Amino acid sequence: MNNPLVSVLMTAYNREKYIGEAIESVLLSTYNNFELIIVDDCSRDMTVSIAKKFEATDDRIKVYVNEKNLGDYPNRNKAASYAKGEYIMYLDSDDKTYPDSIEYCLNEMLEDSKIDMGMLCRIPELCGKILSPAESINHHFFCNQILIMGPGGTIIKKSFFDNINQYPEKYGPANDMYFNLKAASVGNIKYLCKEFLFYRIHEGQEANNGLSYLSNNYLYTKDALKELQLPLSKEQLNFLSLKSKRRFVHNIFKFLVESKSISQTYMVIKKCNFTVKDALQGIFH
């Protein structure tokens, strides 16, 4: 088989309840020149068995099982390392894709060679538009937060993904947010307004980990404003830094009131190395 144009990457951990539907949704695609790479992260249920049954019936499916548990984003990067396609799309093993999703995303990307990444966007005026780094970053920070999108809502040139060092692995469930800022700061992004992902809501997903998001949302923003070559002025960067501190003060106080847990609140503050000076700067921002 010739190299596929698109690699669909599916990471899995204890997803026996959903992975069959996820795989079937890919196999129902109207586009055929794809590979489906499934990387299991040491599941303790029937996830691997289910995936291997599909692998035995379709040579476009490849199943890999990690020797040790890597965690969410390290496993996403691991999956990408197996990809042979020019483009990569992530589909989580508890979600589904629509029959025309791969074809739609690929056609949008092939319209212009300068597009590095396609991203699902629900803002009508941006439909089909290709924004430069300056346009994407400024719109995100000062108009609408268009870069808040998980891996399943993207299609990425594999070479671009590798050139910007793939996903970071230190921000927990917010690794994708740092990645999106990094991608937008150096690449051209096309905003796709047609829904191409069925995102399943259930109790066992990482999105429910509010405590982790509380700390990591602050940390990725703090680091991004310092580390990335964002096309913003010093004044804009300073404004956003103070705004982030103010938001953290609000969120940490809200968490304390709702959880009534001084120990957990302190743990988050300590993890973020958030000082009294930071708090005062945020409050009086």
Side-chain angles (χ1 to χ4, degrees):
M1 184 177 71
N2 294 328
N3 280 351
L5 190 56
V6 182
S7 296
V8 180
L9 308 180
M10 183 179 295
T11 54
Y13 178 69
N14 292 343
R15 287 288 184 252
E16 63 178 8
K17 186 175 180 180
Y18 305 113
I19 192 169
E21 286 185 61
I23 296 171
E24 287 175 346
S25 74
V26 177
L27 297 181
L28 290 172
S29 175
T30 58
Y31 184 80
N32 294 315
N33 189 21
F34 66 82
E35 64 176 350
L36 172 58
I37 295 172
I38 303 169
V39 184
D40 181 79
D41 206 17
C42 301
S43 291
R44 294 170 291 178
D45 61 4
M46 298 297 291
T47 297
V48 174
S49 297
I50 294 170
K52 284 187 174 294
K53 286 181 181 179
F54 282 98
E55 181 184 35
T57 65
D58 196 314
D59 62 6
R60 295 173 299 179
I61 302 175
K62 298 292 183 290
V63 178
Y64 301 90
V65 181
N66 294 334
E67 294 182 358
K68 63 178 182 179
N69 182 271
L70 300 179
D72 189 5
Y73 280 86
N75 199 29
R76 292 185 189 278
N77 288 336
K78 183 74 171 180
S81 73
Y82 295 120
K84 298 178 181 178
E86 184 177 340
Y87 296 91
I88 58 174
M89 296 180 69
Y90 282 91
L91 178 68
D92 286 352
S93 51
D94 53 351
D95 294 333
K96 293 189 293 184
T97 188
Y98 299 112
D100 62 347
S101 292
I102 298 175
E103 185 172 13
Y104 163 70
C105 290
L106 183 58
N107 286 340
E108 291 291 320
M109 295 293 286
L110 292 174
E111 283 187 358
D112 195 323
S113 61
K114 72 180 182 182
I115 304 169
D116 298 300
M117 181 174 176
M119 183 176 292
L120 182 59
C121 178
R122 297 181 176 90
I123 301 173
E125 58 266 30
L126 291 183
C127 281
K129 288 190 176 181
I130 304 169
L131 298 190
S132 66
E135 291 170 328
S136 283
I137 293 297
N138 275 274
H139 194 106
H140 175 76
F141 282 117
F142 302 110
C143 295
N144 302 292
Q145 293 185 313
I146 54 177
L147 299 174
I148 296 181
M149 181 55 60
T154 64
I155 177 170
I156 314 169
K157 272 185 180 175
K158 177 64 163 52
S159 58
F160 177 71
F161 183 75
D162 291 336
N163 286 340
I164 61 174
N165 299 317
Q166 306 182 330
Y167 284 110
E169 299 177 357
K170 63 179 181 177
Y171 303 111
N175 280 309
D176 51 357
M177 299 298 99
Y178 184 96
F179 173 84
N180 290 348
L181 287 176
K182 179 169 61 172
S185 69
V186 296
N188 298 306
I189 297 183
K190 186 169 187 178
Y191 293 91
L192 313 177
C193 293
K194 180 177 178 179
E195 294 287 342
F196 57 86
L197 172 70
F198 175 83
Y199 181 73
R200 190 191 302 270
I201 304 295
H202 62 92
E203 292 182 356
Q205 59 193 160
E206 186 64 24
N208 297 320
N209 192 348
L211 189 62
S212 182
Y213 271 111
L214 181 59
S215 58
N216 283 302
N217 278 346
Y218 174 74
L219 288 171
Y220 93 76
T221 304
K222 176 184 176 182
D223 289 349
L225 294 175
K226 289 183 178 179
E227 298 171 355
L228 300 179
Q229 298 298 312
L230 299 174
L232 299 171
S233 68
K234 289 183 179 180
E235 290 77 13
Q236 288 174 316
L237 290 171
N238 183 60
F239 170 82
L240 292 172
S241 177
L242 294 174
K243 182 179 178 181
S244 177
K245 292 176 181 179
R246 181 179 184 179
R247 184 186 303 115
F248 184 75
V249 170
H250 170 81
N251 289 339
I252 200 69
F253 181 74
K254 180 180 178 182
F255 174 78
L256 175 61
V257 170
E258 293 178 350
S259 69
K260 297 180 177 60
S261 174
I262 295 176
S263 61
Q264 284 189 315
T265 303
Y266 175 74
M267 180 185 70
V268 173
I269 293 173
K270 185 177 180 180
K271 179 180 178 180
C272 293
N273 196 26
F274 195 76
T275 66
V276 173
K277 181 181 179 180
D278 291 328
L280 292 174
Q281 287 177 336
I283 291 170
F284 294 105
H285 166 56

